[in-house]
Amino acid sequence: MTLPSNVTIIEVGPRDGLQNESKFIPTPLKIDFINRLSETGLSVIEATSFVSPKWVPQLADAAEVFQGINKKPGVRYPVLIPNIKGLEKGLTVGVNEVAVFATPSEKFSQKNTNCSVKESIERIAEVIAVAKTHGIRIRAYLSCVLGCPYEGEMAPEKVAALADTLFKMGCYEISLGDTIGVGTPLKTKRLIEVVSAFIPVNHLAVHFHDTYGQALANIYAALTQGIASIDSAVAGLGGCPYAKGATGNVATEDVVYMLQGMGIETGIDLRALLIVGQFISQQLGRKPYSKVNLAMMR
Ligand code: HMG
Ligand code: MG
């Protein structure tokens, strides 16, 4: 077993973390949050999403947020988009990296994007065609890879086939999303074994929601399979409004603490991150959903 010596953390707090908040978070606070995250040593911060404001009102200010943040040199600020309209809106404000999303679950595809899996791939193909002409990097998420709230268990082979399609279409990285946090370590290991038969493991990432408290164990299993890109959200923020039962992402503080303890580099200043986790939690009127944050900031 060889563990990676370096891991890239993709901080999804400003996007996945905030999209599920019911009370509108003022735009200046979102900008302040991202600017603070930019000072922690993170190299990738998913800033917002250009989805339909009718579907996710919380992120209706995507353009203002993206324009308002300080783009720190060396930090990448991808955004989530569901269709060509999202890409066009992003382009007007200088977006230069996007993430698209799909799922092997027909029912979740309908709930989350109001279209079939096949239609979602067609939309993504349109996005990729335009994005490529602008030299934009495209990442892809696959949701419900370890279980779906509407269809139950998901066959790893089905996930692998869709991941392979997206990779061949030109997505540089496929992030495997356990949207409702039902996965366990051996299932995670098996999933990565099956998917990495199609896609080199250095083009795969993992994205765990911690609904059942399995995220760190699953991340460890993923690391043993060679995964070196991990999505997480500071203070354990997050959830998908269209996945019943989905709660927060694994907390970035907890992931960084675990990696540091294993001698794996992330470039992140844990103490600085803890302070940002405290800050956003206070603003949202709650304690961080991060055991490391609670323990170290006591
Ligand atoms: P629809 O209603 O079928 O689309 O939604 P439509 O084309 O009929 O558009 C409806 C309205 O939205 C129209 O406005 C469009 O112009 C507008 P109207 O004419 O009625 O005034 N519209 C847009 N506006 C701004 N930006 C856009 C855009 N697109 C349409 N991009 C659609 C289809 C895909 C748009 C919708 O279903 C949608 O936005 N879904 C996104 C839902 C979402 O954001 N879910 C959470 C993110 S995914 C996630 O969290 C999982 C992940 O974290 C990984 C994991 O955990 O597994 C990534
Ligand atoms: Mg998510």
Side-chain angles (χ1 to χ4, degrees), residues 252-283:
T252 310
E253 300 93 310
D254 295 6
V255 177
V256 171
Y257 178 88
M258 182 178 87
L259 294 174
Q260 277 187 357
M262 294 167 71
I264 298 174
E265 279 300 321
T266 62
I268 296 169
D269 176 347
L270 178 57
R271 192 143 285 280
L273 191 68
L274 294 171
I275 294 168
V276 183
Q278 288 283 330
F279 166 77
I280 191 65
S281 302
Q282 270 161 19
Q283 297 293 324

Side-chain angles (χ1 to χ4, degrees), residues 30-98:
K30 289 175 179 145
I31 293 171
D32 189 11
F33 175 40
I34 297 171
N35 288 344
R36 286 170 190 252
L37 285 169
S38 295
E39 299 303 321
T40 62
L42 279 160
S43 56
V44 191
I45 303 173
E46 198 174 66
T48 183
S49 71
F50 288 79
V51 294
S52 168
K54 294 199 168 134
W55 283 63
V56 182
Q58 180 61 256
L59 301 183
D61 57 358
E64 292 85 341
V65 169
F66 192 83
Q67 273 180 310
I69 56 175
N70 301 330
K71 316 280 187 320
K72 192 178 163 88
V75 181
R76 287 157 43 203
Y77 300 92
V79 302
L80 191 77
I81 53 158
N83 54 16
I84 198 79
K85 181 156 193 176
L87 178 64
E88 281 163 359
K89 289 194 161 224
L91 285 174
T92 64
V93 290
V95 160
N96 56 15
E97 190 169 340
V98 298

Side-chain angles (χ1 to χ4, degrees), residues 15-16 19 179 207 209 239-240 249:
R15 192 279 299 172
D16 197 329
Q19 72 186 10
T179 319
H207 177 108
H209 287 259
C240 176
N249 289 83

